[in-house]
């Protein structure tokens, strides 16, 4: 189980690092509100919400499974 957790965290870290968008050359390194960068830096939230939903469902399934396992052992 520990190996699976390490593998899963490594995959999440690699996804997070590859999802970074390089800065726009139009900004010139100036103020955050300078240039044509949208508010929030243009960060997409669609993929993050999907990941959180999948993790939440997985956690819920694990909790139900553990509760049923404990009930059978009692």
């Amino acid at each position: 189980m520990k190996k699976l957790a390490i593998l899963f965290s490594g995959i999440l870290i690699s996804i997070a690092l590859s999802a970074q968008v390089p800065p726009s050359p139009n900004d010139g390194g100036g103020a955050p509100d300078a240039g044509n960068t949208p508010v929030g830096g243009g960060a997409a939230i669609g993929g993050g919400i999907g990941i959180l939903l999948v993790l939440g469902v997985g956690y819920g399934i694990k909790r139900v499974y553990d509760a049923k396992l404990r009930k059978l052992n009692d």
Side-chain angles (χ1 to χ4, degrees):
M1 186 69 178
K2 189 174 181 180
K3 287 182 182 180
L4 181 64
I6 291 171
L7 176 67
F8 188 67
S9 63
I11 290 171
L12 285 179
I13 290 171
S14 67
I15 289 172
L17 291 177
S18 67
Q20 301 300 317
V21 179
S24 172
N26 296 335
D27 287 344
D33 58 349
N36 58 359
T37 305
V39 176
I45 61 170
I49 291 174
I51 291 171
L52 287 175
L53 285 173
V54 168
L55 290 174
V57 167
Y59 181 69
I61 290 171
K62 182 186 180 312
R63 294 281 302 218
V64 169
Y65 176 76
D66 289 344
K68 285 185 179 184
L69 197 60
R70 267 183 280 148
K71 189 174 182 180
L72 288 175
N73 289 335
D74 286 341

